[in-house]
Amino acid sequence: MSTENLNPFEIVQQQICTAGQCLALDPAIEEILKEPKRVLMVTFSVKMDDGTAKVFKGIRSQHNDAIGPCKGGVRFHPDVTLDEVKALSMWMTFKCGVVGLPYGGGKGGVICNPKELSQGELERISRAYIEAIASIIGPDKDIPAPDVYTNSQIMAWMMDTFSRLKGSNQFGVVTGKPIIVGGSLGRNEATAQGCVFVITKAAEKLGLPLEGATVAIQGYGNAGSVAAVLLNKMGCNVVAVSDSCGAIYNPAGIELEVLYQHKRDSGSCINLPGCERISNEELLELPVDILVPAALENQITAKNAEQIKAKIVAEAANGPTTPEADRILFAKGITVIPDILANAGGVTVSYFEWVQNLMNYYWSEQEVNDKLQTIMYNAFDNVYAASQQHQVDLRTAAFIVSINRVAEAIKVRGHV
Ligand code: GLU
């Protein structure tokens, strides 16, 4: 039986250690990076539709702000834990570092099950959470955004609550907002778009033509559903997708427009006519060219890594692969584009949104996408070069690139 450690906080600490060894990193800097700078845990009560009050727990973790304000999403999920949110805030620091944004990492979570909440209840939870953490967030302190089971409507409520508290519009406090209240064109698609940009680069390096390449996507949410469409536009054939109810597979390719309507009408991907029903685990092991884990942490582990057949694993999710699985995939010659690079498109366009809010001048979608492409291509090239230089996998290389930036800021500010 495997005794693999699946605690995301300990996993990210291990990832820091591995990169730190390659860099001969100052132990004091390593110690700073291994813990969040500040964690706030809050409890708040919300009136439910049936008139009762329910108590919820929320967390905001701020890992590091040496390069700029903390930045990162808020997750609404029943399984949110303190260690998970801490880890996610740390991955945000390194994600912003890989793409060179003037941000550090933050992350938030509320323990709740959005599938069982009405719109009214969701709104009251979103507002109460922001009120509870208002003292530590702000456009120049820490800027939340969407993550698992949160969306632009929730961001609008959060921005509105913070603005009311301050007595004036504070569009820059949150990103991923609806366009009409300071959102950026292209933000909805950004995580998937960034992921497709780096998949294109990796496929080029491998000599894998995207035309006709088969794709399996685990998670049909904010990132996965858009990645399916964008990869399809690039000529790829999406043969499998999944959500929390299960997975579907059609070796001939899934009709994405039909899938979109089916998910909208039935609430799930499963039971799409013409597709075979498989499990989420089976989806990961399909004989495809490109696998996109776009759901939650710890999906590819020591248990199933040996069975992964994809040539490219592009991590649209945060933390889907464990360190043991990383070693197995590397030995098998599978290219893993790590989360902190593969899904950095989301926070990159969040950065564009924040910049547009601060200057009150808004860009076209073309401008946003062109800027995103430049950043993602450069980031891929830098990470690839570091992997060649240090003879390591792309994850360790991404950490190396990023830690170098954060360490320089920590040093020059005189914190060590
Ligand atoms: N939640 C997304 C992530 O994990 C986006 C964060 C942001 O835009 O700040 O990268």
Side-chain angles (χ1 to χ4, degrees):
M1 226 183 70
S2 165
T3 52
E4 194 177 15
N5 184 355
L6 299 180
N7 179 324
F9 178 55
E10 285 162 24
I11 287 177
V12 63
Q13 288 187 324
Q14 216 176 310
Q15 290 165 339
I16 295 167
C17 251
T18 307
Q21 270 161 18
C22 298
L23 286 171
L25 185 66
D26 178 339
I29 295 182
E30 190 167 319
E31 221 179 308
I32 291 175
L33 294 179
K34 276 178 153 173
E35 291 284 344
K37 177 173 171 172
R38 181 185 293 116
V39 179
L40 179 61
M41 298 183 68
V42 294
T43 305
F44 51 88
S45 72
V46 168
K47 284 265 165 63
M48 306 306 278
D49 289 351
D50 64 5
T52 61
K54 210 171 158 191
V55 174
F56 291 90
K57 287 195 161 84
I59 305 163
R60 184 73 191 173
S61 170
Q62 300 176 336
H63 173 238
N64 186 282
D65 60 359
I67 291 184
C70 298
K71 183 86 192 81
V74 180
R75 163 174 303 205
F76 283 3
H77 198 278
D79 301 334
V80 162
T81 65
L82 176 59
D83 274 356
E84 181 195 34
V85 175
K86 277 159 69 173
L88 289 162
S89 73
M90 294 159 83
W91 279 320
M92 284 309 303
T93 299
F94 302 116
K95 189 182 300 183
C96 294
V98 170
V99 280
L101 304 180
Y103 285 143
K107 200 78 169 202
V110 176
I111 306 172
C112 65
N113 188 354
K115 286 183 189 164
E116 291 168 0
L117 297 166
S118 70
Q119 279 295 102
E121 289 166 341
L122 259 184
E123 174 175 352
R124 294 192 289 280
I125 291 173
S126 306
R127 291 188 185 277
Y129 170 69
I130 283 302
E131 214 179 314
I133 65 163
S135 62
I136 65 162
I137 63 168
D140 55 357
K141 285 190 195 167
D142 181 3
I143 305 128
D147 196 76
V148 173
Y149 293 148
T150 55
N151 55 26
S152 59
Q153 175 61 75
I154 290 175
M155 296 308 118
W157 292 324
M158 291 181 167
M159 178 278 290
D160 183 70
T161 299
F162 191 79
S163 297
R164 287 188 198 187
L165 286 170
K166 295 285 162 189
S168 63
N169 275 337
Q170 302 277 322
F171 285 171
V173 67
V174 164
T175 58
K177 301 178 294 295
I179 305 298
I180 192 73
V181 286
S184 174
L185 292 168
R187 174 62 187 87
N188 249 342
E189 300 75 21
T191 307
Q193 182 62 74
C195 192
V196 171
F197 284 143
V198 290
I199 288 175
T200 310
K201 292 285 275 186
E204 233 174 71
K205 294 273 181 218
L206 293 175
L208 173 75
L210 284 186
E211 188 63 47
T214 51
V215 179
I217 300 180
Q218 187 201 38
Y220 190 74
N222 292 344
S225 62
V226 183
V229 174
L230 296 178
L231 284 166
N232 198 246
K233 274 194 194 147
M234 303 289 294
C236 296
N237 195 11
V238 178
V239 296
V241 299
S242 73
D243 58 26
S244 58
C245 301
I248 52 168
Y249 177 44
N250 181 350
I254 294 172
E255 273 192 65
L256 296 176
E257 265 165 47
V258 184
L259 169 64
Y260 179 80
Q261 281 165 18
H262 175 78
K263 168 90 184 180
R264 198 193 49 197
D265 299 342
S266 73
S268 170
C269 296
I270 57 170
N271 300 326
L272 184 71
C275 292
E276 188 190 329
R277 171 84 189 267
I278 58 171
S279 68
N280 252 297
E281 293 74 30
E282 286 168 321
L283 175 141
L284 298 171
E285 299 172 13
L286 286 174
V288 290
D289 296 309
I290 301 167
L291 173 63
V292 183
L296 295 166
E297 298 94 59
N298 294 332
Q299 300 302 305
I300 306 177
T301 65
K303 266 195 203 146
N304 61 359
E306 205 60 65
Q307 275 71 257
I308 304 291
K309 296 169 191 74
K311 298 180 182 76
I312 295 175
V313 176
E315 297 182 337
N318 291 308
T321 311
T322 63
E324 273 191 54
D326 263 336
R327 280 189 283 277
I328 297 169
L329 298 178
F330 190 58
K332 277 167 71 87
I334 295 174
T335 301
V336 178
I337 314 174
D339 45 9
I340 59 171
L341 171 62
N343 69 36
V347 71
T348 301
V349 177
S350 274
Y351 166 61
F352 297 159
E353 179 175 330
W354 178 77
V355 167
Q356 293 171 83
N357 294 154
L358 296 187
M359 63 181 179
N360 256 307
Y361 173 72
Y362 288 83
W363 304 338
S364 70
E365 189 162 0
Q366 189 65 45
E367 246 177 302
V368 168
N369 282 336
D370 289 350
K371 287 183 164 73
L372 176 63
Q373 185 179 53
T374 307
I375 288 184
M376 295 307 296
Y377 280 3
N378 279 340
F380 183 92
D381 288 340
N382 289 340
V383 169
Y384 191 82
S387 79
Q388 300 291 101
Q389 188 196 335
H390 294 271
Q391 288 298 302
V392 290
D393 61 14
L394 293 177
R395 186 179 323 277
T396 306
F399 270 83
I400 287 174
V401 167
S402 186
I403 288 177
N404 263 333
R405 279 176 54 85
V406 185
E408 192 185 334
I410 290 174
K411 264 190 252 167
V412 81
R413 291 180 68 140
H415 293 179
V416 288

